[in-house]
Amino acid sequence: MRRLELPDDAVELARFLIGKVLVRDHRSGRTSGRIVETEAYPVGDAAGHAFIGMTSANQSLFLAKGHAYVYFIYGSSYMCNVAAEPRGVGAGVLLRALEPLEGISLMQRRRGTRRLTELAKGPGRLASAMAIDRRCDGMDLCAAGALWLGRDERPRVRPSRSVRIGLTKEVGRLLRFYERGSSCVSGPRRLRG
DNA sequence: AGTGCGATTGACT
DNA sequence: GTCAATCGCACTA
């Protein structure tokens, strides 16, 4: 698959990434999945981790667009984001769900379930299924490496959008994108869910 | 040095 | 449907 050319801001990137493929090349094997759900955290968004300015924890959000920002939350889950702006500007897109494509048995072992629709439904499960952790933080997802973005063979449908999930700030903004009809999407599948 | 809490999940009623 | 576990980090002092 050839290198992806990413759009210029977080909202466009979140929309763009629906229907693309996330590939993980790990020593235990390759896993990949079609991205079916994302959320945008644009510049100036009080719900975004970049809002407080650059710190040791969020610095990868300020890398050039296409770099991974991976963080650990609730003592249990890793979240995988894609930086969305030029170097020095903090904004990103959270990857929330995948439809598994390659390495399904490996994902099943990592997740402890055989159900395809539950392997990567939700950001923490996505990271777990793909063996994404702190070591992936700062990787360039548009370069050759252990974690990268590619295209899917299948046609892309126009993403639906809704409010974002789990936030206490900036609650009303329609910055969640998802593939309508996919059973791998987490959470509500209607406009104001 | 102590406190509060978060872009969640899995277990349970 | 509800709810607690769990831990790294920002913030206060």
Side-chain angles (χ1 to χ4, degrees):
Chain A
M1 283 190 241
R2 79 175 184 280
R3 176 192 172 98
L4 291 183
E5 195 65 37
L6 303 181
D8 283 326
D9 75 86
V11 179
E12 285 311 307
L13 180 61
R15 194 194 321 264
F16 172 87
L17 287 175
I18 298 296
K20 301 299 183 297
V21 176
L22 183 68
V23 186
R24 175 76 165 124
D25 287 317
H26 191 260
R27 58 190 173 84
S28 52
R30 169 174 290 186
T31 50
S32 71
R34 178 180 171 99
I35 298 170
V36 295
E37 183 183 356
T38 62
E39 282 177 356
Y41 291 87
V43 174
D45 174 20
H49 287 188
F51 189 71
I52 59 172
M54 188 160 59
T55 69
S56 60
N58 69 12
Q59 56 184 341
S60 295
L61 262 187
F62 293 78
L63 296 174
K65 67 182 179 181
H67 285 78
Y69 163 54
V70 178
Y71 67 92
F72 186 63
I73 196 169
Y74 295 124
S76 59
S77 303
Y78 289 95
M79 306 279 124
C80 182
N81 300 253
V82 183
E85 295 281 342
R87 185 176 185 82
V89 181
V93 173
L94 172 66
L95 304 182
R96 287 194 57 93
L98 300 179
E99 176 190 325
L101 295 175
E102 298 172 278
I104 288 173
S105 64
L106 185 49
M107 293 193 206
Q108 288 170 327
R109 256 175 286 153
R110 288 173 180 156
R111 289 273 302 110
T113 178
R114 301 203 67 77
R115 303 192 59 179
L116 294 186
T117 58
E118 292 188 3
L119 292 180
K121 175 187 292 209
R125 293 165 177 164
L126 181 158
S128 171
M130 299 288 278
I132 290 170
D133 61 25
R134 210 43 230 228
R135 295 189 296 261
C136 297
D137 188 51
M139 286 183 178
D140 183 354
L141 304 186
C142 292
L147 185 63
W148 49 280
L149 291 164
R151 297 180 190 280
D152 196 354
E153 307 288 329
R154 283 177 296 159
R156 182 170 180 285
V157 295
R158 184 181 179 78
S160 300
R161 65 193 293 177
S162 80
V163 294
R164 294 173 294 184
I165 295 174
L167 301 186
T168 56
K169 300 170 187 164
E170 303 270 9
V171 171
R173 304 182 72 180
L174 299 174
L175 295 179
R176 170 174 173 257
F177 296 86
Y178 61 98
E179 191 169 271
R180 182 177 293 280
S182 172
S183 54
C184 297
V185 168
S186 80
R189 289 183 229 159
R190 14 176 266 275
L191 182 61
R192 302 221 168 249

